[in-house]
Each structure stands twice: as C-alpha cells, then as structure tokens.
Amino acid sequence: MDLLRRSLRDMPNDSLLWMSYGNRLQSDGRFDPAYIAFNNAVEVDAGNFAALESFIAMAASRQEFSRVREVLTRLPEAIKGRPHRLLPSLDFSIPNRIDEAVDVVAREGDMIAQAVVELHRSDGQATLEDLDEVETAQARAIFCLARGRRAAAIETIRQLPEDKVPVTSLRLAIRRELARDQHDAAPGLLSEYLRARPDDAWAKNKLRVGKVRSDHQLAQSGFPFPPAAEIRSYSPQQNKVAYLLHNSLPYHSAGYSTRTHGLLSAVRQQGWDMVGVTRLGYPYDMPQYKELGPIQAIDIVNGVPYHRLSTEPGLEMKKPIQQYVDRYVERLKVFAEDEKPFLLHAASNHWNGLAAVSAALQLGLPSVYEVRGLWEVTRGSRDPEWASGGMYRFMARMEADAASNATHVLAITHALKSELIARGVDGEKITVVPNGVDSSRFRRRERDRELAQSLGINNKTVIGYVGSILDYEGLGLLIESAGKIASERDDFVVLLVGDGAELEKFRTEVEIAGLQHLFRFTGRVPHEEVERYYSLIDITPFPRLPLPVCEMVSPLKPFEAMSMEKAVVASDVAALAEIVRHGETGLLHEKGNADSLATALRQLLDNHELRSRLAVNGRRWVTEERQWSQLGRTISDIYESLGGRSSAPAVLTGAAALRVP
C-alpha cells in the first residue's frame, strides 16, 4: 500500500497504478476509497477495461449511473487507433448504447469485432459468411451477451470449447444481470462461466449466493427476518441482558462508547447483569486496528464486562448484508446459549439491530433496538447527492425494519422518534432515552492556571468548544461570529479542543481571516484530561448547522459542559432545543445564522451575572434530569415490562424500613 501511494504521488496519471491501488483497497474491504481509486483510473483512461469493470460495478451499487455515463462517453477516443481495445470495448459500448464507440469498431476492428457490430446493427439477422464455425459462435455469443439475450447466449456458448468461451464478455453480462437484480437469470450464465473457468472464486461465490437478495431488493421488499420460535431454546436468566454494540471502550472512547458505558454502569446498578457484546468483526474492521493481533474475549472496564465476538484477525465482509447478518446471528446464538440472557438489546446501527432481532426471534426472546442516530442521515447531510441515491434508501429501510420488528425501541431524541414514526415504526413502542452525564465526574473545578498560561489565555474570557472537529458542528459559523466580535473587543479567546476531519480546514479559515491571535487549537487531548480544559472555559458554543443529522441527534458534550457549570450557547436545531431552555439553562441562537450566534456570545461576554445564572441552572438541570443513573432506571422499567426481573433488593418503606439492620 505504501509503495502504491508513493508511486501515485510521482505518477498520478497512471491508470494501471490507480487500478492496482483500488484492487488492494477492495481486497482489504475499504470499498469507499477503492471506488475513488477506480474512479481515478477510468478518469485517466476510459479504455482501462479491467478498471472500468470494477468502477461500473461499484458505481451501480451506489446508483451513480450519471457518472458511469460520463466516463463511457470518452470511450470512442480511448479506443481509436488501438486494435487490442476494439473487440473488448463492445462489451461496454453496446449495452450502454455508446454508438460512437461502436462506429470506431466498425471502421477499425478485426473480422470478429466487425461481425459483432453487424449483428448488433441488424438485430441479430446478419449472416457471417467470412467466419468459421467457432468464430461465428464467438461473435454471436458476444452479441447476445451484450444485448441481454441470455437464453440465446447460453445456447451459443455451449457450442464452444472451454478455451474459446468469451469469458470477459460473459463475466460482464453476469455483473449486469446481478446489478439489475435478475438473480434468477444469473445462474445459467455462471454455470457456463465456471465451465470455462472452473476455479474462479468470484463465480463460485456468486453462484452460491445467487439467492441472497441484493441491497436494491432489500430496499424494496424489506429484510427477511426468520419466523419467531414457538418455544425458547434455553431457560434464560431473567436479569441477564446482552447489549450489542458497534464499538466500545477500551478501543474507542468517543461519544458512542461514553453513552454505552454510562448506560451499562447505570443499568447494572439497578440489579441487571447487563454485559456489552461488540459486533462480529470488531475491532478488526476499524482502520486503526487492521494490524491488531489476537485479543482477549472479555475486557473489564471499571467493573463492566465487554465481550468480543471476534478475537482473531480477519475481515468480516458486510456485503451482502444478509450473509453478514447470518454469520453474526449464528455467533450470537452460541454466545446467548452460553450466557443465557433473557433479552437482546442492540444499539445502532442496523447491522446490530437486524442481527439482534433475527437472533431473538430464533431464540424465542424479546429484543430492544436503540436508535442513537441514523447513519444514512449523517452521510446524507454531508452529501445531498448521495442522499438521493439507492444506498440511502437501502439503509433507511434497514433501520426501519430493525426498529419495526424489535419488541421495543429506544430513541435518543424526540426528533429521532418522530423520524422513526414517519418511517412506519409504531410510536407506542418507542421510548426516548436521551444522552446523559456522570455529574460526579463532570463538576465545577478551579481554573487550571498552569494550563491557561501554557495556552496564553490568562485574564481572558474563554469561548471553548470541546468535541469532534466536523463541518456540521458549525465551527465555521463560530469562526465567522468570533471575527465579528473581535472587531469590537479583545477581551476573549476561542479555544477548540479536539480532532476531526475538518481540523485543517478550520485552521486555514482562521489564518485567512487573520484571527490566529484569537484562536487556540489543541488537537486531540487525552480523555482523562478533558476536565482540565473545561476548567478554562467560560462559554461553550454548540452552533450545529441546520442539517437533518443535527436536527435529530444530540451530542453528549452539552451535558458535560452544563454539568461543569458552563454557560451554553446552542443553535435551535430540534435536538439541541430539547436540551437547552432559552434563557433558563442556556441561550439558543438561530441555526445557521452567524449574526444571531454573535449576538448570543456578546450577551454572555457582557453579562457575567447572566453567564453565572445559566451555568448554575444548567448544572442543576442535568443533575436532576440527565444523570446516567436516572436513565438507567428508565431502561430498567422497560426490561421489567418485557418479562425480566432485576436482582436488586426491594426498597422498603415505612415500618418495614425501620427493621432493616
């Protein structure tokens, strides 16, 4: 990989290098960057047919047909004067109606290539008098495959010896049938392909999974859940719960794993033997852990057990999704029969939800699906064009199916609950369990003067953001607003604590605006030192942009900031408006409006009493309403309603309480 990267830096216009890079990325399961590599390969040379085949297959799965058309329109120029490209180009130009490329082959092609063109232009009626019997069959096979005439193609190919079968044309025809969800048609073509290439792993796999539904089919018809078992396969422990997770401590420590650990700890305190179970493939399918060796089956973090379904290196492919879920379910059933939980509780995304619901149905157990966010909405907020495509529809359907078929559903915001109801999920079975905080850890503390001095922010009011440096967090809006205020005063600084995809972008924006003196970027800081940085902050802005993901999903950081008695300013997107009561626990500004944000920041810079009152009220509110322990009691009640029994001792009152030693 390093060699390929270095070579591409030196030779960025080498199509074969881009293709090699794409092949390597694809073999590692890194499909999005592989698609970009293949895209670059065909951008450089549309006549690189091996790269073109991979590009079209990946583009079709993303519903990016306009991009395919754009590349194919350059095919005529890519084949002119290149005899070796003429015949194979027909496998692309005829099915996609690139007539100019067909014309080039008619003028310059050899006898077989020109024969295929004649058949195409005559709709198969041409007589091929200048070819022998084998050449005629080859030409007719290529024509029939390119025009989608499967039965005629198979009949013609059967007349050919194995070494004369046009395998590339055949393989491309199979890909087209599968992309069009013609799974019933593909096996016949695959059988002929395997006659010519009996050891081809790709064809064997496609034949084996021919009955597995494609993403497009699942988006239309829904996920095929198994029937519910009439009896349970084991006698469960009524206080045992398996909590299926996308990631967890100690491998990841961001908001997802923080919520996980908070809820696990709180629910366990309610008398439930709740254990974390990370999904099949984790952590080996995360970029930073690709080289990780064998790991232990259980990690204990602050007394909370995290079980690993994957403990040995190896990549778990997520496509086709049915096959991944089937493997996940089988491994989960083994775990459940060993541990005997009465309930399977899965947290986002739909990989976990589909597996938990499927396994629970087969085991005769109830299931809970906890929707922490909708990942297709997150990506769609960054890429509106992608949000109009087939992959968005597929993911949205899978999320809705997992929630609709779970026994109970949790959502982290009311906005997210509304979205699930709009997708057809029964609102009566959805409970909102928001994010929370451990107020015993995040509490007011004296300013860390040594840290303040090291950052050069002594005697300044600090506007501080702690979290991921991402575009939808609205940090560009914060930079713009700070610039407006800086033209009026110099008694404040802006501290940005964290790392993320847009860190360098925002550094550049600050430099272009000439605000380097005003901003401090710390980058990522150790998780255990976050409170030190919070101690420096007076005002915490959360100016999230007016995007679907921001409307539906609430971050954890506002709860931590409020718990540490910081004055909060947030945009009025729905998810944040559920947290901040304007004028009571913080200030809200108009989403996407830099002037409105600047006005709110000025208020808090000018009015120390207001700042203090909001900070105290915010701390009081999260302590009373958003402690993990309180949220744990809500989940405990749900478990009881689903047939579980907590092992916590009953709380005695009145005279009975007096007899407790």
Side-chain angles (χ1 to χ4, degrees), residues 266-296:
V267 175
R268 287 173 65 84
Q269 289 171 6
Q270 296 293 315
W272 299 94
D273 185 8
M274 189 181 188
V275 299
V277 184
T278 49
R279 60 185 169 78
L280 189 66
Y282 179 82
Y284 297 101
D285 55 3
M286 303 300 279
Q288 63 269 51
Y289 293 115
K290 287 187 179 296
E291 306 303 322
L292 184 67
I295 60 175
Q296 55 193 8

PDB file of all heavy atoms in Angstrom, residues 266-296:
ATOM      1  N   ALA A 266     -25.071   2.245  34.759  1.00  0.00           N
ATOM      2  CA  ALA A 266     -26.296   2.622  35.464  1.00  0.00           C
ATOM      3  C   ALA A 266     -27.280   1.463  35.551  1.00  0.00           C
ATOM      4  O   ALA A 266     -27.898   1.235  36.599  1.00  0.00           O
ATOM      5  CB  ALA A 266     -26.943   3.814  34.760  1.00  0.00           C
ATOM      6  N   VAL A 267     -27.455   0.725  34.460  1.00  0.00           N
ATOM      7  CA  VAL A 267     -28.414  -0.377  34.462  1.00  0.00           C
ATOM      8  C   VAL A 267     -27.917  -1.517  35.344  1.00  0.00           C
ATOM      9  O   VAL A 267     -28.704  -2.168  36.043  1.00  0.00           O
ATOM     10  CB  VAL A 267     -28.683  -0.862  33.022  1.00  0.00           C
ATOM     11  CG1 VAL A 267     -29.583  -2.098  33.016  1.00  0.00           C
ATOM     12  CG2 VAL A 267     -29.330   0.256  32.194  1.00  0.00           C
ATOM     13  N   ARG A 268     -26.617  -1.749  35.359  1.00  0.00           N
ATOM     14  CA  ARG A 268     -26.079  -2.785  36.244  1.00  0.00           C
ATOM     15  C   ARG A 268     -26.333  -2.421  37.716  1.00  0.00           C
ATOM     16  O   ARG A 268     -26.583  -3.298  38.541  1.00  0.00           O
ATOM     17  CB  ARG A 268     -24.581  -2.972  35.980  1.00  0.00           C
ATOM     18  CG  ARG A 268     -24.292  -3.699  34.660  1.00  0.00           C
ATOM     19  CD  ARG A 268     -22.809  -3.726  34.333  1.00  0.00           C
ATOM     20  NE  ARG A 268     -22.051  -4.502  35.301  1.00  0.00           N
ATOM     21  CZ  ARG A 268     -21.905  -5.826  35.272  1.00  0.00           C
ATOM     22  NH1 ARG A 268     -22.494  -6.542  34.315  1.00  0.00           N
ATOM     23  NH2 ARG A 268     -21.186  -6.447  36.183  1.00  0.00           N
ATOM     24  N   GLN A 269     -26.290  -1.118  38.020  1.00  0.00           N
ATOM     25  CA  GLN A 269     -26.576  -0.694  39.392  1.00  0.00           C
ATOM     26  C   GLN A 269     -28.035  -0.931  39.773  1.00  0.00           C
ATOM     27  O   GLN A 269     -28.377  -0.958  40.957  1.00  0.00           O
ATOM     28  CB  GLN A 269     -26.224   0.790  39.551  1.00  0.00           C
ATOM     29  CG  GLN A 269     -24.725   1.070  39.541  1.00  0.00           C
ATOM     30  CD  GLN A 269     -24.405   2.544  39.489  1.00  0.00           C
ATOM     31  OE1 GLN A 269     -25.304   3.388  39.573  1.00  0.00           O
ATOM     32  NE2 GLN A 269     -23.126   2.872  39.334  1.00  0.00           N
ATOM     33  N   GLN A 270     -28.885  -1.111  38.763  1.00  0.00           N
ATOM     34  CA  GLN A 270     -30.295  -1.388  39.029  1.00  0.00           C
ATOM     35  C   GLN A 270     -30.557  -2.886  39.241  1.00  0.00           C
ATOM     36  O   GLN A 270     -31.701  -3.301  39.377  1.00  0.00           O
ATOM     37  CB  GLN A 270     -31.151  -0.903  37.853  1.00  0.00           C
ATOM     38  CG  GLN A 270     -31.106   0.600  37.635  1.00  0.00           C
ATOM     39  CD  GLN A 270     -31.755   1.365  38.773  1.00  0.00           C
ATOM     40  OE1 GLN A 270     -32.826   1.004  39.233  1.00  0.00           O
ATOM     41  NE2 GLN A 270     -31.085   2.411  39.226  1.00  0.00           N
ATOM     42  N   GLY A 271     -29.488  -3.689  39.266  1.00  0.00           N
ATOM     43  CA  GLY A 271     -29.635  -5.108  39.532  1.00  0.00           C
ATOM     44  C   GLY A 271     -29.713  -5.988  38.307  1.00  0.00           C
ATOM     45  O   GLY A 271     -30.111  -7.157  38.399  1.00  0.00           O
ATOM     46  N   TRP A 272     -29.317  -5.466  37.158  1.00  0.00           N
ATOM     47  CA  TRP A 272     -29.318  -6.255  35.920  1.00  0.00           C
ATOM     48  C   TRP A 272     -27.892  -6.680  35.589  1.00  0.00           C
ATOM     49  O   TRP A 272     -26.968  -5.884  35.648  1.00  0.00           O
ATOM     50  CB  TRP A 272     -29.885  -5.441  34.769  1.00  0.00           C
ATOM     51  CG  TRP A 272     -31.300  -5.010  34.991  1.00  0.00           C
ATOM     52  CD1 TRP A 272     -31.722  -3.823  35.526  1.00  0.00           C
ATOM     53  CD2 TRP A 272     -32.471  -5.770  34.716  1.00  0.00           C
ATOM     54  NE1 TRP A 272     -33.087  -3.793  35.604  1.00  0.00           N
ATOM     55  CE2 TRP A 272     -33.584  -4.972  35.108  1.00  0.00           C
ATOM     56  CE3 TRP A 272     -32.710  -7.029  34.184  1.00  0.00           C
ATOM     57  CZ2 TRP A 272     -34.895  -5.408  34.982  1.00  0.00           C
ATOM     58  CZ3 TRP A 272     -34.029  -7.470  34.044  1.00  0.00           C
ATOM     59  CH2 TRP A 272     -35.096  -6.666  34.443  1.00  0.00           C
ATOM     60  N   ASP A 273     -27.742  -7.946  35.215  1.00  0.00           N
ATOM     61  CA  ASP A 273     -26.443  -8.447  34.753  1.00  0.00           C
ATOM     62  C   ASP A 273     -26.337  -8.134  33.267  1.00  0.00           C
ATOM     63  O   ASP A 273     -26.493  -9.002  32.413  1.00  0.00           O
ATOM     64  CB  ASP A 273     -26.339  -9.947  35.022  1.00  0.00           C
ATOM     65  CG  ASP A 273     -24.955 -10.496  34.676  1.00  0.00           C
ATOM     66  OD1 ASP A 273     -24.052  -9.683  34.382  1.00  0.00           O
ATOM     67  OD2 ASP A 273     -24.789 -11.729  34.686  1.00  0.00           O
ATOM     68  N   MET A 274     -26.098  -6.877  32.972  1.00  0.00           N
ATOM     69  CA  MET A 274     -26.050  -6.384  31.592  1.00  0.00           C
ATOM     70  C   MET A 274     -24.597  -6.368  31.130  1.00  0.00           C
ATOM     71  O   MET A 274     -23.740  -5.760  31.775  1.00  0.00           O
ATOM     72  CB  MET A 274     -26.654  -4.983  31.521  1.00  0.00           C
ATOM     73  CG  MET A 274     -26.858  -4.439  30.111  1.00  0.00           C
ATOM     74  SD  MET A 274     -27.554  -2.767  30.205  1.00  0.00           S
ATOM     75  CE  MET A 274     -27.914  -2.457  28.479  1.00  0.00           C
ATOM     76  N   VAL A 275     -24.316  -7.037  30.011  1.00  0.00           N
ATOM     77  CA  VAL A 275     -22.942  -7.141  29.520  1.00  0.00           C
ATOM     78  C   VAL A 275     -22.862  -6.589  28.112  1.00  0.00           C
ATOM     79  O   VAL A 275     -23.771  -6.755  27.297  1.00  0.00           O
ATOM     80  CB  VAL A 275     -22.442  -8.603  29.542  1.00  0.00           C
ATOM     81  CG1 VAL A 275     -22.447  -9.140  30.966  1.00  0.00           C
ATOM     82  CG2 VAL A 275     -23.270  -9.496  28.633  1.00  0.00           C
ATOM     83  N   GLY A 276     -21.778  -5.883  27.816  1.00  0.00           N
ATOM     84  CA  GLY A 276     -21.544  -5.406  26.472  1.00  0.00           C
ATOM     85  C   GLY A 276     -21.068  -6.534  25.570  1.00  0.00           C
ATOM     86  O   GLY A 276     -20.300  -7.403  26.000  1.00  0.00           O
ATOM     87  N   VAL A 277     -21.517  -6.533  24.330  1.00  0.00           N
ATOM     88  CA  VAL A 277     -21.112  -7.528  23.329  1.00  0.00           C
ATOM     89  C   VAL A 277     -20.848  -6.786  22.027  1.00  0.00           C
ATOM     90  O   VAL A 277     -21.786  -6.271  21.411  1.00  0.00           O
ATOM     91  CB  VAL A 277     -22.202  -8.600  23.107  1.00  0.00           C
ATOM     92  CG1 VAL A 277     -21.707  -9.665  22.124  1.00  0.00           C
ATOM     93  CG2 VAL A 277     -22.637  -9.232  24.419  1.00  0.00           C
ATOM     94  N   THR A 278     -19.582  -6.694  21.622  1.00  0.00           N
ATOM     95  CA  THR A 278     -19.295  -5.958  20.390  1.00  0.00           C
ATOM     96  C   THR A 278     -19.535  -6.842  19.177  1.00  0.00           C
ATOM     97  O   THR A 278     -19.333  -8.050  19.203  1.00  0.00           O
ATOM     98  CB  THR A 278     -17.857  -5.420  20.385  1.00  0.00           C
ATOM     99  OG1 THR A 278     -16.933  -6.451  20.729  1.00  0.00           O
ATOM    100  CG2 THR A 278     -17.715  -4.288  21.394  1.00  0.00           C
ATOM    101  N   ARG A 279     -19.965  -6.203  18.110  1.00  0.00           N
ATOM    102  CA  ARG A 279     -20.444  -6.888  16.905  1.00  0.00           C
ATOM    103  C   ARG A 279     -19.371  -7.767  16.256  1.00  0.00           C
ATOM    104  O   ARG A 279     -18.170  -7.593  16.491  1.00  0.00           O
ATOM    105  CB  ARG A 279     -20.921  -5.853  15.887  1.00  0.00           C
ATOM    106  CG  ARG A 279     -19.821  -4.908  15.479  1.00  0.00           C
ATOM    107  CD  ARG A 279     -20.288  -3.796  14.567  1.00  0.00           C
ATOM    108  NE  ARG A 279     -19.238  -2.798  14.450  1.00  0.00           N
ATOM    109  CZ  ARG A 279     -18.169  -2.930  13.685  1.00  0.00           C
ATOM    110  NH1 ARG A 279     -18.015  -4.014  12.947  1.00  0.00           N
ATOM    111  NH2 ARG A 279     -17.241  -1.995  13.654  1.00  0.00           N
ATOM    112  N   LEU A 280     -19.830  -8.661  15.427  1.00  0.00           N
ATOM    113  CA  LEU A 280     -18.938  -9.539  14.686  1.00  0.00           C
ATOM    114  C   LEU A 280     -18.047  -8.709  13.758  1.00  0.00           C
ATOM    115  O   LEU A 280     -18.537  -7.911  12.961  1.00  0.00           O
ATOM    116  CB  LEU A 280     -19.762 -10.537  13.863  1.00  0.00           C
ATOM    117  CG  LEU A 280     -18.979 -11.663  13.198  1.00  0.00           C
ATOM    118  CD1 LEU A 280     -18.384 -12.593  14.241  1.00  0.00           C
ATOM    119  CD2 LEU A 280     -19.887 -12.453  12.243  1.00  0.00           C
ATOM    120  N   GLY A 281     -16.737  -8.896  13.888  1.00  0.00           N
ATOM    121  CA  GLY A 281     -15.775  -8.156  13.058  1.00  0.00           C
ATOM    122  C   GLY A 281     -15.041  -7.063  13.794  1.00  0.00           C
ATOM    123  O   GLY A 281     -13.985  -6.624  13.346  1.00  0.00           O
ATOM    124  N   TYR A 282     -15.587  -6.590  14.914  1.00  0.00           N
ATOM    125  CA  TYR A 282     -14.961  -5.509  15.681  1.00  0.00           C
ATOM    126  C   TYR A 282     -13.916  -6.083  16.637  1.00  0.00           C
ATOM    127  O   TYR A 282     -14.148  -7.130  17.232  1.00  0.00           O
ATOM    128  CB  TYR A 282     -16.025  -4.759  16.494  1.00  0.00           C
ATOM    129  CG  TYR A 282     -15.477  -3.642  17.350  1.00  0.00           C
ATOM    130  CD1 TYR A 282     -15.210  -2.395  16.812  1.00  0.00           C
ATOM    131  CD2 TYR A 282     -15.196  -3.849  18.699  1.00  0.00           C
ATOM    132  CE1 TYR A 282     -14.701  -1.367  17.599  1.00  0.00           C
ATOM    133  CE2 TYR A 282     -14.687  -2.830  19.488  1.00  0.00           C
ATOM    134  CZ  TYR A 282     -14.443  -1.603  18.931  1.00  0.00           C
ATOM    135  OH  TYR A 282     -13.920  -0.594  19.703  1.00  0.00           O
ATOM    136  N   PRO A 283     -12.777  -5.430  16.827  1.00  0.00           N
ATOM    137  CA  PRO A 283     -12.365  -4.128  16.276  1.00  0.00           C
ATOM    138  C   PRO A 283     -11.567  -4.210  14.989  1.00  0.00           C
ATOM    139  O   PRO A 283     -11.068  -3.193  14.503  1.00  0.00           O
ATOM    140  CB  PRO A 283     -11.493  -3.578  17.404  1.00  0.00           C
ATOM    141  CG  PRO A 283     -10.812  -4.791  17.962  1.00  0.00           C
ATOM    142  CD  PRO A 283     -11.834  -5.900  17.885  1.00  0.00           C
ATOM    143  N   TYR A 284     -11.444  -5.414  14.419  1.00  0.00           N
ATOM    144  CA  TYR A 284     -10.517  -5.599  13.303  1.00  0.00           C
ATOM    145  C   TYR A 284     -10.942  -4.862  12.036  1.00  0.00           C
ATOM    146  O   TYR A 284     -10.109  -4.612  11.152  1.00  0.00           O
ATOM    147  CB  TYR A 284     -10.357  -7.093  13.003  1.00  0.00           C
ATOM    148  CG  TYR A 284      -9.761  -7.854  14.160  1.00  0.00           C
ATOM    149  CD1 TYR A 284     -10.568  -8.614  15.012  1.00  0.00           C
ATOM    150  CD2 TYR A 284      -8.401  -7.783  14.430  1.00  0.00           C
ATOM    151  CE1 TYR A 284     -10.026  -9.294  16.087  1.00  0.00           C
ATOM    152  CE2 TYR A 284      -7.848  -8.455  15.509  1.00  0.00           C
ATOM    153  CZ  TYR A 284      -8.666  -9.210  16.338  1.00  0.00           C
ATOM    154  OH  TYR A 284      -8.125  -9.875  17.414  1.00  0.00           O
ATOM    155  N   ASP A 285     -12.228  -4.509  11.919  1.00  0.00           N
ATOM    156  CA  ASP A 285     -12.666  -3.813  10.712  1.00  0.00           C
ATOM    157  C   ASP A 285     -12.596  -2.299  10.851  1.00  0.00           C
ATOM    158  O   ASP A 285     -13.060  -1.572   9.979  1.00  0.00           O
ATOM    159  CB  ASP A 285     -14.087  -4.241  10.328  1.00  0.00           C
ATOM    160  CG  ASP A 285     -15.095  -4.048  11.453  1.00  0.00           C
ATOM    161  OD1 ASP A 285     -14.711  -3.527  12.512  1.00  0.00           O
ATOM    162  OD2 ASP A 285     -16.265  -4.435  11.273  1.00  0.00           O
ATOM    163  N   MET A 286     -12.012  -1.809  11.935  1.00  0.00           N
ATOM    164  CA  MET A 286     -11.798  -0.371  12.099  1.00  0.00           C
ATOM    165  C   MET A 286     -10.390  -0.023  11.604  1.00  0.00           C
ATOM    166  O   MET A 286      -9.445  -0.790  11.838  1.00  0.00           O
ATOM    167  CB  MET A 286     -11.972   0.038  13.555  1.00  0.00           C
ATOM    168  CG  MET A 286     -13.336  -0.343  14.132  1.00  0.00           C
ATOM    169  SD  MET A 286     -14.725   0.415  13.263  1.00  0.00           S
ATOM    170  CE  MET A 286     -14.735   2.050  14.004  1.00  0.00           C
ATOM    171  N   PRO A 287     -10.239   1.119  10.907  1.00  0.00           N
ATOM    172  CA  PRO A 287      -8.960   1.421  10.246  1.00  0.00           C
ATOM    173  C   PRO A 287      -7.733   1.318  11.140  1.00  0.00           C
ATOM    174  O   PRO A 287      -6.702   0.768  10.729  1.00  0.00           O
ATOM    175  CB  PRO A 287      -9.166   2.866   9.760  1.00  0.00           C
ATOM    176  CG  PRO A 287     -10.639   2.993   9.586  1.00  0.00           C
ATOM    177  CD  PRO A 287     -11.246   2.161  10.669  1.00  0.00           C
ATOM    178  N   GLN A 288      -7.815   1.786  12.383  1.00  0.00           N
ATOM    179  CA  GLN A 288      -6.624   1.804  13.236  1.00  0.00           C
ATOM    180  C   GLN A 288      -6.286   0.440  13.820  1.00  0.00           C
ATOM    181  O   GLN A 288      -5.261   0.286  14.487  1.00  0.00           O
ATOM    182  CB  GLN A 288      -6.782   2.831  14.361  1.00  0.00           C
ATOM    183  CG  GLN A 288      -7.911   2.553  15.341  1.00  0.00           C
ATOM    184  CD  GLN A 288      -9.214   3.215  14.941  1.00  0.00           C
ATOM    185  OE1 GLN A 288      -9.652   3.070  13.806  1.00  0.00           O
ATOM    186  NE2 GLN A 288      -9.811   3.953  15.867  1.00  0.00           N
ATOM    187  N   TYR A 289      -7.141  -0.563  13.594  1.00  0.00           N
ATOM    188  CA  TYR A 289      -6.899  -1.875  14.191  1.00  0.00           C
ATOM    189  C   TYR A 289      -6.736  -2.989  13.151  1.00  0.00           C
ATOM    190  O   TYR A 289      -6.872  -4.165  13.480  1.00  0.00           O
ATOM    191  CB  TYR A 289      -8.037  -2.222  15.157  1.00  0.00           C
ATOM    192  CG  TYR A 289      -8.067  -1.322  16.371  1.00  0.00           C
ATOM    193  CD1 TYR A 289      -9.139  -0.467  16.600  1.00  0.00           C
ATOM    194  CD2 TYR A 289      -7.001  -1.292  17.267  1.00  0.00           C
ATOM    195  CE1 TYR A 289      -9.154   0.387  17.706  1.00  0.00           C
ATOM    196  CE2 TYR A 289      -7.009  -0.444  18.363  1.00  0.00           C
ATOM    197  CZ  TYR A 289      -8.092   0.384  18.578  1.00  0.00           C
ATOM    198  OH  TYR A 289      -8.099   1.225  19.659  1.00  0.00           O
ATOM    199  N   LYS A 290      -6.441  -2.619  11.915  1.00  0.00           N
ATOM    200  CA  LYS A 290      -6.283  -3.631  10.871  1.00  0.00           C
ATOM    201  C   LYS A 290      -5.102  -4.558  11.140  1.00  0.00           C
ATOM    202  O   LYS A 290      -5.109  -5.710  10.716  1.00  0.00           O
ATOM    203  CB  LYS A 290      -6.131  -2.956   9.506  1.00  0.00           C
ATOM    204  CG  LYS A 290      -7.434  -2.357   8.987  1.00  0.00           C
ATOM    205  CD  LYS A 290      -7.266  -1.863   7.577  1.00  0.00           C
ATOM    206  CE  LYS A 290      -8.565  -1.293   7.049  1.00  0.00           C
ATOM    207  NZ  LYS A 290      -9.628  -2.291   6.953  1.00  0.00           N
ATOM    208  N   GLU A 291      -4.080  -4.068  11.836  1.00  0.00           N
ATOM    209  CA  GLU A 291      -2.900  -4.879  12.104  1.00  0.00           C
ATOM    210  C   GLU A 291      -2.927  -5.482  13.509  1.00  0.00           C
ATOM    211  O   GLU A 291      -1.929  -6.054  13.957  1.00  0.00           O
ATOM    212  CB  GLU A 291      -1.633  -4.030  11.938  1.00  0.00           C
ATOM    213  CG  GLU A 291      -1.520  -3.318  10.590  1.00  0.00           C
ATOM    214  CD  GLU A 291      -1.569  -4.285   9.419  1.00  0.00           C
ATOM    215  OE1 GLU A 291      -0.985  -5.394   9.544  1.00  0.00           O
ATOM    216  OE2 GLU A 291      -2.194  -3.952   8.389  1.00  0.00           O
ATOM    217  N   LEU A 292      -4.034  -5.352  14.208  1.00  0.00           N
ATOM    218  CA  LEU A 292      -4.143  -5.870  15.572  1.00  0.00           C
ATOM    219  C   LEU A 292      -4.090  -7.396  15.573  1.00  0.00           C
ATOM    220  O   LEU A 292      -4.680  -8.061  14.723  1.00  0.00           O
ATOM    221  CB  LEU A 292      -5.471  -5.390  16.181  1.00  0.00           C
ATOM    222  CG  LEU A 292      -5.741  -5.752  17.640  1.00  0.00           C
ATOM    223  CD1 LEU A 292      -4.763  -5.037  18.564  1.00  0.00           C
ATOM    224  CD2 LEU A 292      -7.182  -5.377  18.008  1.00  0.00           C
ATOM    225  N   GLY A 293      -3.395  -7.961  16.530  1.00  0.00           N
ATOM    226  CA  GLY A 293      -3.328  -9.412  16.663  1.00  0.00           C
ATOM    227  C   GLY A 293      -4.476  -9.958  17.488  1.00  0.00           C
ATOM    228  O   GLY A 293      -5.482  -9.274  17.707  1.00  0.00           O
ATOM    229  N   PRO A 294      -4.368 -11.198  17.949  1.00  0.00           N
ATOM    230  CA  PRO A 294      -5.432 -11.792  18.775  1.00  0.00           C
ATOM    231  C   PRO A 294      -5.689 -10.960  20.032  1.00  0.00           C
ATOM    232  O   PRO A 294      -4.768 -10.377  20.614  1.00  0.00           O
ATOM    233  CB  PRO A 294      -4.876 -13.173  19.123  1.00  0.00           C
ATOM    234  CG  PRO A 294      -3.877 -13.477  18.054  1.00  0.00           C
ATOM    235  CD  PRO A 294      -3.274 -12.153  17.684  1.00  0.00           C
ATOM    236  N   ILE A 295      -6.954 -10.900  20.453  1.00  0.00           N
ATOM    237  CA  ILE A 295      -7.328 -10.143  21.646  1.00  0.00           C
ATOM    238  C   ILE A 295      -8.076 -11.067  22.600  1.00  0.00           C
ATOM    239  O   ILE A 295      -8.541 -12.144  22.216  1.00  0.00           O
ATOM    240  CB  ILE A 295      -8.199  -8.916  21.312  1.00  0.00           C
ATOM    241  CG1 ILE A 295      -9.505  -9.349  20.615  1.00  0.00           C
ATOM    242  CG2 ILE A 295      -7.432  -7.923  20.453  1.00  0.00           C
ATOM    243  CD1 ILE A 295     -10.482  -8.220  20.363  1.00  0.00           C
ATOM    244  N   GLN A 296      -8.197 -10.640  23.852  1.00  0.00           N
ATOM    245  CA  GLN A 296      -8.903 -11.454  24.829  1.00  0.00           C
ATOM    246  C   GLN A 296     -10.401 -11.376  24.609  1.00  0.00           C
ATOM    247  O   GLN A 296     -10.920 -10.396  24.073  1.00  0.00           O
ATOM    248  CB  GLN A 296      -8.551 -11.008  26.241  1.00  0.00           C
ATOM    249  CG  GLN A 296      -8.788  -9.533  26.538  1.00  0.00           C
ATOM    250  CD  GLN A 296      -8.128  -9.108  27.839  1.00  0.00           C
ATOM    251  OE1 GLN A 296      -7.378  -9.856  28.454  1.00  0.00           O
ATOM    252  NE2 GLN A 296      -8.408  -7.892  28.279  1.00  0.00           N
TER     253      GLN A 296
END
